Amino acid sequence: VSTCEAAFRLDTTDIATISAIVDYYYHKHDTRRMLDYDAHLFRSRELSIEDKLQRLELYTSDRGVYSNNYMRIGGIIQGLAIDYPNNRGVIEAYATHMIAGGDYDYALAYLRRHLEDDNTTEYHYMDVLQLELYMGHTDVLIEDLKRALELFPGSFDLLSFAGYIDTTNGDYDSAIAHYKHGLDIATTDAEHSTMLGNIGDLYHEMDDDRRAFRYYRKALKYNPDNALVLNNYAYFLSLKDKSLDKALEMAERAVSLEPNNESYVD
């Protein structure tokens, strides 16, 4: 390694030399020196952004390496954010790094700012919406969700999320409308079953079990192994003291599908 380091001092941009030093310190488990040298690779224009993100993933996915070198890895990520300000992979890596450090407000502001980018997709909105939900930013969540649905009216995930938000706010009619719209664009049996089950749950909350049970039956036709529907249908039948043999069969099926789900076992 001394020869390689001598070569590095002569030319701090040679990819082969830097890679050899990085590999040496990697095998020596000296992550501090490894990252100090690897930082030069992340600044190199000869390495593609795809390769850089792949290297970054190796470090951030290793909890020990990441936690012990949070500041060094953060410096690398900040450098990428400067060099590739509109690259989605870099944006997500930077926001994830901020969240890992507990800086949720900065991460949210950063992600929201990039919603104005031309390459924004429904999934980028979902990242923002889920973070806003976690942080309890209800007002801005509603604003961003409305905008997302305007931009991506055919998004199954956004409609599911909108139905969930409506449900938590007690607006069951709006939730059902979103779920029924989701049914119209569902492309798989699993998606159909999920939406039908959600609608069934809402009708139960509205004390309309006749309609709820009808939607549960439809959901199970699309996916007989929908454990949530099996559990809820079985439980609500038991509360009505109806079709108990069928309820027991469905409850047992739900538990067999998810044996570690305490709610189903109960």
mmCIF file of all heavy atoms in Angstrom, residues 201-246:
data_model
loop_
_atom_site.group_PDB
_atom_site.id
_atom_site.type_symbol
_atom_site.label_atom_id
_atom_site.label_comp_id
_atom_site.label_asym_id
_atom_site.label_seq_id
_atom_site.Cartn_x
_atom_site.Cartn_y
_atom_site.Cartn_z
ATOM 1 N N ASP A 201 -64.257 -2.120 5.066
ATOM 2 C CA ASP A 201 -63.950 -1.615 6.409
ATOM 3 C C ASP A 201 -64.697 -0.315 6.697
ATOM 4 O O ASP A 201 -65.205 -0.097 7.807
ATOM 5 C CB ASP A 201 -62.449 -1.374 6.552
ATOM 6 C CG ASP A 201 -61.643 -2.667 6.585
ATOM 7 O OD1 ASP A 201 -62.233 -3.731 6.854
ATOM 8 O OD2 ASP A 201 -60.422 -2.597 6.330
ATOM 9 N N LEU A 202 -64.765 0.548 5.697
ATOM 10 C CA LEU A 202 -65.441 1.831 5.890
ATOM 11 C C LEU A 202 -66.939 1.647 6.086
ATOM 12 O O LEU A 202 -67.544 2.311 6.946
ATOM 13 C CB LEU A 202 -65.166 2.749 4.696
ATOM 14 C CG LEU A 202 -63.750 3.340 4.651
ATOM 15 C CD1 LEU A 202 -63.480 3.997 3.309
ATOM 16 C CD2 LEU A 202 -63.573 4.348 5.777
ATOM 17 N N TYR A 203 -67.540 0.757 5.320
ATOM 18 C CA TYR A 203 -68.980 0.537 5.509
ATOM 19 C C TYR A 203 -69.258 -0.067 6.889
ATOM 20 O O TYR A 203 -70.297 0.213 7.507
ATOM 21 C CB TYR A 203 -69.529 -0.352 4.399
ATOM 22 C CG TYR A 203 -69.832 0.427 3.142
ATOM 23 C CD1 TYR A 203 -69.283 0.069 1.906
ATOM 24 C CD2 TYR A 203 -70.680 1.538 3.171
ATOM 25 C CE1 TYR A 203 -69.556 0.803 0.758
ATOM 26 C CE2 TYR A 203 -70.954 2.273 2.028
ATOM 27 C CZ TYR A 203 -70.388 1.897 0.823
ATOM 28 O OH TYR A 203 -70.665 2.628 -0.313
ATOM 29 N N HIS A 204 -68.323 -0.886 7.389
ATOM 30 C CA HIS A 204 -68.496 -1.384 8.757
ATOM 31 C C HIS A 204 -68.466 -0.230 9.752
ATOM 32 O O HIS A 204 -69.279 -0.191 10.691
ATOM 33 C CB HIS A 204 -67.405 -2.399 9.096
ATOM 34 C CG HIS A 204 -67.389 -2.763 10.551
ATOM 35 N ND1 HIS A 204 -68.325 -3.595 11.119
ATOM 36 C CD2 HIS A 204 -66.556 -2.372 11.563
ATOM 37 C CE1 HIS A 204 -68.077 -3.717 12.416
ATOM 38 N NE2 HIS A 204 -67.011 -2.988 12.708
ATOM 39 N N GLU A 205 -67.526 0.702 9.560
ATOM 40 C CA GLU A 205 -67.444 1.859 10.446
ATOM 41 C C GLU A 205 -68.710 2.702 10.372
ATOM 42 O O GLU A 205 -69.067 3.383 11.335
ATOM 43 C CB GLU A 205 -66.226 2.718 10.090
ATOM 44 C CG GLU A 205 -64.886 2.059 10.402
ATOM 45 C CD GLU A 205 -64.697 1.815 11.880
ATOM 46 O OE1 GLU A 205 -65.121 2.677 12.688
ATOM 47 O OE2 GLU A 205 -64.138 0.757 12.240
ATOM 48 N N MET A 206 -69.388 2.635 9.223
ATOM 49 C CA MET A 206 -70.627 3.392 9.032
ATOM 50 C C MET A 206 -71.853 2.581 9.458
ATOM 51 O O MET A 206 -72.985 2.955 9.166
ATOM 52 C CB MET A 206 -70.740 3.814 7.560
ATOM 53 C CG MET A 206 -69.613 4.735 7.110
ATOM 54 S SD MET A 206 -69.483 4.919 5.307
ATOM 55 C CE MET A 206 -70.966 5.894 4.976
ATOM 56 N N ASP A 207 -71.616 1.458 10.161
ATOM 57 C CA ASP A 207 -72.683 0.580 10.668
ATOM 58 C C ASP A 207 -73.535 -0.008 9.554
ATOM 59 O O ASP A 207 -74.738 -0.247 9.735
ATOM 60 C CB ASP A 207 -73.577 1.335 11.664
ATOM 61 C CG ASP A 207 -72.815 1.747 12.922
ATOM 62 O OD1 ASP A 207 -71.996 0.947 13.392
ATOM 63 O OD2 ASP A 207 -73.038 2.875 13.398
ATOM 64 N N ASP A 208 -72.915 -0.244 8.420
ATOM 65 C CA ASP A 208 -73.619 -0.874 7.299
ATOM 66 C C ASP A 208 -72.911 -2.193 6.983
ATOM 67 O O ASP A 208 -72.222 -2.333 5.969
ATOM 68 C CB ASP A 208 -73.604 0.053 6.083
ATOM 69 C CG ASP A 208 -74.488 -0.451 4.949
ATOM 70 O OD1 ASP A 208 -74.941 -1.616 5.012
ATOM 71 O OD2 ASP A 208 -74.725 0.308 3.984
ATOM 72 N N ASP A 209 -73.080 -3.188 7.896
ATOM 73 C CA ASP A 209 -72.383 -4.455 7.717
ATOM 74 C C ASP A 209 -72.899 -5.245 6.518
ATOM 75 O O ASP A 209 -72.146 -6.030 5.929
ATOM 76 C CB ASP A 209 -72.492 -5.302 8.986
ATOM 77 C CG ASP A 209 -71.462 -4.897 10.036
ATOM 78 O OD1 ASP A 209 -70.436 -4.306 9.647
ATOM 79 O OD2 ASP A 209 -71.681 -5.152 11.226
ATOM 80 N N ARG A 210 -74.137 -5.045 6.148
ATOM 81 C CA ARG A 210 -74.647 -5.759 4.964
ATOM 82 C C ARG A 210 -73.814 -5.391 3.748
ATOM 83 O O ARG A 210 -73.364 -6.269 3.000
ATOM 84 C CB ARG A 210 -76.122 -5.388 4.737
ATOM 85 C CG ARG A 210 -76.761 -6.088 3.521
ATOM 86 C CD ARG A 210 -78.174 -5.588 3.296
ATOM 87 N NE ARG A 210 -78.205 -4.157 3.032
ATOM 88 C CZ ARG A 210 -77.952 -3.621 1.830
ATOM 89 N NH1 ARG A 210 -77.637 -4.400 0.808
ATOM 90 N NH2 ARG A 210 -78.028 -2.308 1.661
ATOM 91 N N ARG A 211 -73.572 -4.111 3.576
ATOM 92 C CA ARG A 211 -72.754 -3.671 2.443
ATOM 93 C C ARG A 211 -71.281 -4.022 2.673
ATOM 94 O O ARG A 211 -70.577 -4.397 1.735
ATOM 95 C CB ARG A 211 -72.918 -2.166 2.253
ATOM 96 C CG ARG A 211 -72.419 -1.664 0.906
ATOM 97 C CD ARG A 211 -72.744 -0.201 0.699
ATOM 98 N NE ARG A 211 -74.181 0.015 0.575
ATOM 99 C CZ ARG A 211 -74.732 1.222 0.367
ATOM 100 N NH1 ARG A 211 -73.965 2.291 0.285
ATOM 101 N NH2 ARG A 211 -76.034 1.341 0.262
ATOM 102 N N ALA A 212 -70.822 -3.914 3.908
ATOM 103 C CA ALA A 212 -69.425 -4.249 4.217
ATOM 104 C C ALA A 212 -69.138 -5.694 3.852
ATOM 105 O O ALA A 212 -68.129 -5.997 3.204
ATOM 106 C CB ALA A 212 -69.146 -4.013 5.699
ATOM 107 N N PHE A 213 -70.022 -6.613 4.245
ATOM 108 C CA PHE A 213 -69.796 -8.031 3.974
ATOM 109 C C PHE A 213 -69.814 -8.313 2.471
ATOM 110 O O PHE A 213 -69.086 -9.181 1.987
ATOM 111 C CB PHE A 213 -70.848 -8.884 4.682
ATOM 112 C CG PHE A 213 -70.757 -8.829 6.187
ATOM 113 C CD1 PHE A 213 -71.805 -9.277 6.972
ATOM 114 C CD2 PHE A 213 -69.626 -8.334 6.819
ATOM 115 C CE1 PHE A 213 -71.724 -9.232 8.358
ATOM 116 C CE2 PHE A 213 -69.533 -8.284 8.203
ATOM 117 C CZ PHE A 213 -70.591 -8.729 8.977
ATOM 118 N N ARG A 214 -70.628 -7.568 1.742
ATOM 119 C CA ARG A 214 -70.661 -7.755 0.294
ATOM 120 C C ARG A 214 -69.312 -7.383 -0.327
ATOM 121 O O ARG A 214 -68.804 -8.087 -1.210
ATOM 122 C CB ARG A 214 -71.778 -6.914 -0.330
ATOM 123 C CG ARG A 214 -71.983 -7.195 -1.824
ATOM 124 C CD ARG A 214 -73.265 -6.608 -2.353
ATOM 125 N NE ARG A 214 -73.183 -5.162 -2.527
ATOM 126 C CZ ARG A 214 -73.933 -4.287 -1.874
ATOM 127 N NH1 ARG A 214 -74.801 -4.697 -0.971
ATOM 128 N NH2 ARG A 214 -73.815 -2.995 -2.107
ATOM 129 N N TYR A 215 -68.725 -6.302 0.148
ATOM 130 C CA TYR A 215 -67.410 -5.894 -0.377
ATOM 131 C C TYR A 215 -66.318 -6.862 0.062
ATOM 132 O O TYR A 215 -65.378 -7.126 -0.696
ATOM 133 C CB TYR A 215 -67.092 -4.460 0.057
ATOM 134 C CG TYR A 215 -67.666 -3.433 -0.894
ATOM 135 C CD1 TYR A 215 -68.912 -2.859 -0.645
ATOM 136 C CD2 TYR A 215 -66.987 -3.063 -2.047
ATOM 137 C CE1 TYR A 215 -69.459 -1.929 -1.517
ATOM 138 C CE2 TYR A 215 -67.513 -2.130 -2.926
ATOM 139 C CZ TYR A 215 -68.752 -1.569 -2.657
ATOM 140 O OH TYR A 215 -69.286 -0.662 -3.540
ATOM 141 N N TYR A 216 -66.425 -7.405 1.270
ATOM 142 C CA TYR A 216 -65.443 -8.398 1.705
ATOM 143 C C TYR A 216 -65.494 -9.638 0.807
ATOM 144 O O TYR A 216 -64.450 -10.190 0.441
ATOM 145 C CB TYR A 216 -65.707 -8.808 3.151
ATOM 146 C CG TYR A 216 -65.348 -7.766 4.191
ATOM 147 C CD1 TYR A 216 -66.025 -7.713 5.409
ATOM 148 C CD2 TYR A 216 -64.321 -6.849 3.975
ATOM 149 C CE1 TYR A 216 -65.701 -6.771 6.370
ATOM 150 C CE2 TYR A 216 -63.990 -5.903 4.928
ATOM 151 C CZ TYR A 216 -64.691 -5.870 6.131
ATOM 152 O OH TYR A 216 -64.364 -4.938 7.087
ATOM 153 N N ARG A 217 -66.696 -10.076 0.472
ATOM 154 C CA ARG A 217 -66.828 -11.263 -0.395
ATOM 155 C C ARG A 217 -66.211 -10.996 -1.763
ATOM 156 O O ARG A 217 -65.528 -11.849 -2.336
ATOM 157 C CB ARG A 217 -68.300 -11.657 -0.528
ATOM 158 C CG ARG A 217 -68.894 -12.265 0.742
ATOM 159 C CD ARG A 217 -70.238 -12.923 0.467
ATOM 160 N NE ARG A 217 -71.259 -11.952 0.108
ATOM 161 C CZ ARG A 217 -72.037 -11.321 0.986
ATOM 162 N NH1 ARG A 217 -71.916 -11.552 2.287
ATOM 163 N NH2 ARG A 217 -72.958 -10.467 0.574
ATOM 164 N N LYS A 218 -66.429 -9.803 -2.279
ATOM 165 C CA LYS A 218 -65.832 -9.437 -3.560
ATOM 166 C C LYS A 218 -64.304 -9.417 -3.454
ATOM 167 O O LYS A 218 -63.602 -9.881 -4.351
ATOM 168 C CB LYS A 218 -66.338 -8.062 -4.015
ATOM 169 C CG LYS A 218 -67.792 -8.021 -4.445
ATOM 170 C CD LYS A 218 -68.162 -6.611 -4.883
ATOM 171 C CE LYS A 218 -69.619 -6.531 -5.338
ATOM 172 N NZ LYS A 218 -69.990 -5.139 -5.738
ATOM 173 N N ALA A 219 -63.803 -8.877 -2.337
ATOM 174 C CA ALA A 219 -62.354 -8.789 -2.139
ATOM 175 C C ALA A 219 -61.731 -10.179 -2.117
ATOM 176 O O ALA A 219 -60.659 -10.402 -2.698
ATOM 177 C CB ALA A 219 -62.049 -8.052 -0.841
ATOM 178 N N LEU A 220 -62.406 -11.120 -1.470
ATOM 179 C CA LEU A 220 -61.852 -12.473 -1.363
ATOM 180 C C LEU A 220 -61.966 -13.252 -2.670
ATOM 181 O O LEU A 220 -61.218 -14.210 -2.884
ATOM 182 C CB LEU A 220 -62.549 -13.230 -0.229
ATOM 183 C CG LEU A 220 -62.231 -12.695 1.173
ATOM 184 C CD1 LEU A 220 -63.049 -13.416 2.225
ATOM 185 C CD2 LEU A 220 -60.737 -12.820 1.475
ATOM 186 N N LYS A 221 -62.869 -12.844 -3.537
ATOM 187 C CA LYS A 221 -62.922 -13.463 -4.867
ATOM 188 C C LYS A 221 -61.679 -13.101 -5.667
ATOM 189 O O LYS A 221 -61.152 -13.912 -6.428
ATOM 190 C CB LYS A 221 -64.186 -13.033 -5.609
ATOM 191 C CG LYS A 221 -65.464 -13.708 -5.114
ATOM 192 C CD LYS A 221 -66.662 -13.280 -5.930
ATOM 193 C CE LYS A 221 -67.937 -13.983 -5.452
ATOM 194 N NZ LYS A 221 -69.136 -13.556 -6.217
ATOM 195 N N TYR A 222 -61.226 -11.867 -5.510
ATOM 196 C CA TYR A 222 -60.007 -11.436 -6.206
ATOM 197 C C TYR A 222 -58.759 -12.024 -5.559
ATOM 198 O O TYR A 222 -57.806 -12.388 -6.246
ATOM 199 C CB TYR A 222 -59.906 -9.904 -6.208
ATOM 200 C CG TYR A 222 -60.708 -9.243 -7.292
ATOM 201 C CD1 TYR A 222 -61.936 -8.644 -7.012
ATOM 202 C CD2 TYR A 222 -60.249 -9.200 -8.607
ATOM 203 C CE1 TYR A 222 -62.672 -8.018 -8.017
ATOM 204 C CE2 TYR A 222 -60.975 -8.581 -9.616
ATOM 205 C CZ TYR A 222 -62.187 -7.989 -9.310
ATOM 206 O OH TYR A 222 -62.923 -7.384 -10.304
ATOM 207 N N ASN A 223 -58.762 -12.105 -4.232
ATOM 208 C CA ASN A 223 -57.585 -12.625 -3.523
ATOM 209 C C ASN A 223 -58.044 -13.386 -2.277
ATOM 210 O O ASN A 223 -58.241 -12.780 -1.216
ATOM 211 C CB ASN A 223 -56.647 -11.488 -3.121
ATOM 212 C CG ASN A 223 -55.422 -11.995 -2.376
ATOM 213 O OD1 ASN A 223 -55.133 -13.193 -2.379
ATOM 214 N ND2 ASN A 223 -54.693 -11.089 -1.735
ATOM 215 N N PRO A 224 -58.197 -14.701 -2.385
ATOM 216 C CA PRO A 224 -58.656 -15.503 -1.240
ATOM 217 C C PRO A 224 -57.690 -15.479 -0.061
ATOM 218 O O PRO A 224 -58.075 -15.873 1.043
ATOM 219 C CB PRO A 224 -58.753 -16.921 -1.828
ATOM 220 C CG PRO A 224 -58.822 -16.733 -3.305
ATOM 221 C CD PRO A 224 -58.013 -15.515 -3.594
ATOM 222 N N ASP A 225 -56.461 -15.021 -0.293
ATOM 223 C CA ASP A 225 -55.457 -14.979 0.771
ATOM 224 C C ASP A 225 -55.212 -13.566 1.299
ATOM 225 O O ASP A 225 -54.144 -13.275 1.852
ATOM 226 C CB ASP A 225 -54.139 -15.569 0.277
ATOM 227 C CG ASP A 225 -54.220 -17.073 0.073
ATOM 228 O OD1 ASP A 225 -55.067 -17.719 0.719
ATOM 229 O OD2 ASP A 225 -53.436 -17.594 -0.742
ATOM 230 N N ASN A 226 -56.186 -12.701 1.148
ATOM 231 C CA ASN A 226 -56.069 -11.359 1.724
ATOM 232 C C ASN A 226 -56.314 -11.486 3.229
ATOM 233 O O ASN A 226 -57.445 -11.529 3.701
ATOM 234 C CB ASN A 226 -57.101 -10.418 1.082
ATOM 235 C CG ASN A 226 -56.933 -8.972 1.537
ATOM 236 O OD1 ASN A 226 -56.555 -8.711 2.670
ATOM 237 N ND2 ASN A 226 -57.238 -8.044 0.644
ATOM 238 N N ALA A 227 -55.220 -11.561 3.989
ATOM 239 C CA ALA A 227 -55.314 -11.861 5.416
ATOM 240 C C ALA A 227 -56.089 -10.803 6.188
ATOM 241 O O ALA A 227 -56.836 -11.130 7.121
ATOM 242 C CB ALA A 227 -53.911 -12.010 6.000
ATOM 243 N N LEU A 228 -55.936 -9.544 5.818
ATOM 244 C CA LEU A 228 -56.649 -8.478 6.530
ATOM 245 C C LEU A 228 -58.152 -8.621 6.349
ATOM 246 O O LEU A 228 -58.927 -8.487 7.315
ATOM 247 C CB LEU A 228 -56.179 -7.114 6.029
ATOM 248 C CG LEU A 228 -56.858 -5.897 6.673
ATOM 249 C CD1 LEU A 228 -56.607 -5.884 8.178
ATOM 250 C CD2 LEU A 228 -56.346 -4.608 6.040
ATOM 251 N N VAL A 229 -58.579 -8.890 5.136
ATOM 252 C CA VAL A 229 -60.011 -9.068 4.882
ATOM 253 C C VAL A 229 -60.522 -10.322 5.594
ATOM 254 O O VAL A 229 -61.597 -10.307 6.207
ATOM 255 C CB VAL A 229 -60.290 -9.152 3.369
ATOM 256 C CG1 VAL A 229 -61.738 -9.577 3.108
ATOM 257 C CG2 VAL A 229 -60.016 -7.806 2.708
ATOM 258 N N LEU A 230 -59.770 -11.397 5.521
ATOM 259 C CA LEU A 230 -60.177 -12.630 6.206
ATOM 260 C C LEU A 230 -60.371 -12.367 7.699
ATOM 261 O O LEU A 230 -61.358 -12.809 8.302
ATOM 262 C CB LEU A 230 -59.116 -13.715 6.009
ATOM 263 C CG LEU A 230 -59.035 -14.351 4.621
ATOM 264 C CD1 LEU A 230 -57.727 -15.145 4.494
ATOM 265 C CD2 LEU A 230 -60.227 -15.252 4.357
ATOM 266 N N ASN A 231 -59.434 -11.650 8.300
ATOM 267 C CA ASN A 231 -59.512 -11.363 9.732
ATOM 268 C C ASN A 231 -60.713 -10.479 10.064
ATOM 269 O O ASN A 231 -61.489 -10.772 10.967
ATOM 270 C CB ASN A 231 -58.223 -10.688 10.191
ATOM 271 C CG ASN A 231 -58.275 -10.291 11.652
ATOM 272 O OD1 ASN A 231 -58.141 -11.125 12.531
ATOM 273 N ND2 ASN A 231 -58.478 -9.008 11.911
ATOM 274 N N ASN A 232 -60.850 -9.372 9.326
ATOM 275 C CA ASN A 232 -61.911 -8.423 9.637
ATOM 276 C C ASN A 232 -63.295 -9.016 9.374
ATOM 277 O O ASN A 232 -64.220 -8.841 10.183
ATOM 278 C CB ASN A 232 -61.727 -7.143 8.823
ATOM 279 C CG ASN A 232 -60.521 -6.355 9.279
ATOM 280 O OD1 ASN A 232 -59.875 -6.707 10.261
ATOM 281 N ND2 ASN A 232 -60.201 -5.287 8.560
ATOM 282 N N TYR A 233 -63.429 -9.700 8.251
ATOM 283 C CA TYR A 233 -64.711 -10.329 7.912
ATOM 284 C C TYR A 233 -65.088 -11.333 8.999
ATOM 285 O O TYR A 233 -66.227 -11.362 9.495
ATOM 286 C CB TYR A 233 -64.591 -10.994 6.544
ATOM 287 C CG TYR A 233 -65.887 -11.447 5.917
ATOM 288 C CD1 TYR A 233 -67.124 -11.133 6.463
ATOM 289 C CD2 TYR A 233 -65.863 -12.195 4.734
ATOM 290 C CE1 TYR A 233 -68.308 -11.553 5.865
ATOM 291 C CE2 TYR A 233 -67.046 -12.620 4.129
ATOM 292 C CZ TYR A 233 -68.254 -12.302 4.699
ATOM 293 O OH TYR A 233 -69.421 -12.726 4.106
ATOM 294 N N ALA A 234 -64.127 -12.170 9.414
ATOM 295 C CA ALA A 234 -64.393 -13.172 10.444
ATOM 296 C C ALA A 234 -64.792 -12.513 11.765
ATOM 297 O O ALA A 234 -65.757 -12.936 12.420
ATOM 298 C CB ALA A 234 -63.159 -14.040 10.644
ATOM 299 N N TYR A 235 -64.084 -11.488 12.141
ATOM 300 C CA TYR A 235 -64.350 -10.843 13.429
ATOM 301 C C TYR A 235 -65.720 -10.169 13.438
ATOM 302 O O TYR A 235 -66.487 -10.296 14.406
ATOM 303 C CB TYR A 235 -63.251 -9.827 13.723
ATOM 304 C CG TYR A 235 -63.429 -9.110 15.038
ATOM 305 C CD1 TYR A 235 -63.440 -9.820 16.244
ATOM 306 C CD2 TYR A 235 -63.593 -7.734 15.077
ATOM 307 C CE1 TYR A 235 -63.610 -9.170 17.449
ATOM 308 C CE2 TYR A 235 -63.763 -7.081 16.285
ATOM 309 C CZ TYR A 235 -63.777 -7.791 17.472
ATOM 310 O OH TYR A 235 -63.951 -7.148 18.662
ATOM 311 N N PHE A 236 -66.026 -9.472 12.363
ATOM 312 C CA PHE A 236 -67.310 -8.758 12.327
ATOM 313 C C PHE A 236 -68.489 -9.727 12.237
ATOM 314 O O PHE A 236 -69.572 -9.446 12.766
ATOM 315 C CB PHE A 236 -67.320 -7.757 11.177
ATOM 316 C CG PHE A 236 -66.255 -6.692 11.296
ATOM 317 C CD1 PHE A 236 -65.653 -6.151 10.166
ATOM 318 C CD2 PHE A 236 -65.830 -6.238 12.545
ATOM 319 C CE1 PHE A 236 -64.654 -5.185 10.287
ATOM 320 C CE2 PHE A 236 -64.853 -5.274 12.674
ATOM 321 C CZ PHE A 236 -64.264 -4.744 11.537
ATOM 322 N N LEU A 237 -68.279 -10.875 11.574
ATOM 323 C CA LEU A 237 -69.318 -11.907 11.575
ATOM 324 C C LEU A 237 -69.542 -12.422 12.994
ATOM 325 O O LEU A 237 -70.691 -12.645 13.416
ATOM 326 C CB LEU A 237 -68.919 -13.071 10.661
ATOM 327 C CG LEU A 237 -69.164 -12.907 9.166
ATOM 328 C CD1 LEU A 237 -68.560 -14.088 8.402
ATOM 329 C CD2 LEU A 237 -70.651 -12.779 8.846
ATOM 330 N N SER A 238 -68.459 -12.613 13.745
ATOM 331 C CA SER A 238 -68.597 -13.119 15.112
ATOM 332 C C SER A 238 -69.343 -12.126 15.998
ATOM 333 O O SER A 238 -70.110 -12.515 16.883
ATOM 334 C CB SER A 238 -67.225 -13.441 15.696
ATOM 335 O OG SER A 238 -66.506 -12.260 16.008
ATOM 336 N N LEU A 239 -69.103 -10.832 15.760
ATOM 337 C CA LEU A 239 -69.819 -9.822 16.535
ATOM 338 C C LEU A 239 -71.320 -9.871 16.261
ATOM 339 O O LEU A 239 -72.137 -9.562 17.142
ATOM 340 C CB LEU A 239 -69.284 -8.423 16.203
ATOM 341 C CG LEU A 239 -67.851 -8.116 16.637
ATOM 342 C CD1 LEU A 239 -67.474 -6.700 16.232
ATOM 343 C CD2 LEU A 239 -67.672 -8.304 18.138
ATOM 344 N N LYS A 240 -71.664 -10.253 15.044
ATOM 345 C CA LYS A 240 -73.077 -10.380 14.653
ATOM 346 C C LYS A 240 -73.645 -11.756 15.002
ATOM 347 O O LYS A 240 -74.844 -11.981 14.833
ATOM 348 C CB LYS A 240 -73.220 -10.142 13.146
ATOM 349 C CG LYS A 240 -72.932 -8.728 12.684
ATOM 350 C CD LYS A 240 -74.057 -7.790 13.089
ATOM 351 C CE LYS A 240 -73.848 -6.403 12.519
ATOM 352 N NZ LYS A 240 -74.937 -5.480 12.894
ATOM 353 N N ASP A 241 -72.771 -12.664 15.481
ATOM 354 C CA ASP A 241 -73.171 -14.041 15.786
ATOM 355 C C ASP A 241 -73.784 -14.711 14.551
ATOM 356 O O ASP A 241 -74.796 -15.405 14.626
ATOM 357 C CB ASP A 241 -74.178 -14.065 16.951
ATOM 358 C CG ASP A 241 -74.280 -15.450 17.575
ATOM 359 O OD1 ASP A 241 -73.329 -16.236 17.421
ATOM 360 O OD2 ASP A 241 -75.327 -15.744 18.183
ATOM 361 N N LYS A 242 -73.091 -14.503 13.417
ATOM 362 C CA LYS A 242 -73.572 -15.039 12.136
ATOM 363 C C LYS A 242 -72.473 -15.860 11.475
ATOM 364 O O LYS A 242 -71.288 -15.505 11.579
ATOM 365 C CB LYS A 242 -73.988 -13.901 11.186
ATOM 366 C CG LYS A 242 -75.183 -13.088 11.649
ATOM 367 C CD LYS A 242 -75.465 -11.926 10.706
ATOM 368 C CE LYS A 242 -75.749 -12.392 9.294
ATOM 369 N NZ LYS A 242 -76.103 -11.267 8.402
ATOM 370 N N SER A 243 -72.868 -16.940 10.794
ATOM 371 C CA SER A 243 -71.955 -17.757 9.997
ATOM 372 C C SER A 243 -70.658 -18.043 10.755
ATOM 373 O O SER A 243 -69.555 -17.824 10.252
ATOM 374 C CB SER A 243 -71.638 -17.048 8.668
ATOM 375 O OG SER A 243 -72.808 -16.736 7.960
ATOM 376 N N LEU A 244 -70.795 -18.569 11.977
ATOM 377 C CA LEU A 244 -69.618 -18.735 12.834
ATOM 378 C C LEU A 244 -68.638 -19.777 12.310
ATOM 379 O O LEU A 244 -67.424 -19.630 12.494
ATOM 380 C CB LEU A 244 -70.061 -19.082 14.251
ATOM 381 C CG LEU A 244 -70.889 -17.993 14.961
ATOM 382 C CD1 LEU A 244 -71.194 -18.411 16.391
ATOM 383 C CD2 LEU A 244 -70.170 -16.658 14.942
ATOM 384 N N ASP A 245 -69.137 -20.827 11.670
ATOM 385 C CA ASP A 245 -68.217 -21.816 11.086
ATOM 386 C C ASP A 245 -67.360 -21.173 9.998
ATOM 387 O O ASP A 245 -66.149 -21.405 9.920
ATOM 388 C CB ASP A 245 -69.008 -22.999 10.510
ATOM 389 C CG ASP A 245 -69.607 -23.875 11.604
ATOM 390 O OD1 ASP A 245 -69.102 -23.821 12.742
ATOM 391 O OD2 ASP A 245 -70.579 -24.594 11.318
ATOM 392 N N LYS A 246 -68.011 -20.361 9.190
ATOM 393 C CA LYS A 246 -67.288 -19.656 8.132
ATOM 394 C C LYS A 246 -66.296 -18.658 8.747
ATOM 395 O O LYS A 246 -65.151 -18.532 8.279
ATOM 396 C CB LYS A 246 -68.279 -18.922 7.230
ATOM 397 C CG LYS A 246 -67.637 -18.099 6.132
ATOM 398 C CD LYS A 246 -68.709 -17.413 5.279
ATOM 399 C CE LYS A 246 -68.075 -16.581 4.167
ATOM 400 N NZ LYS A 246 -69.098 -15.912 3.330
#
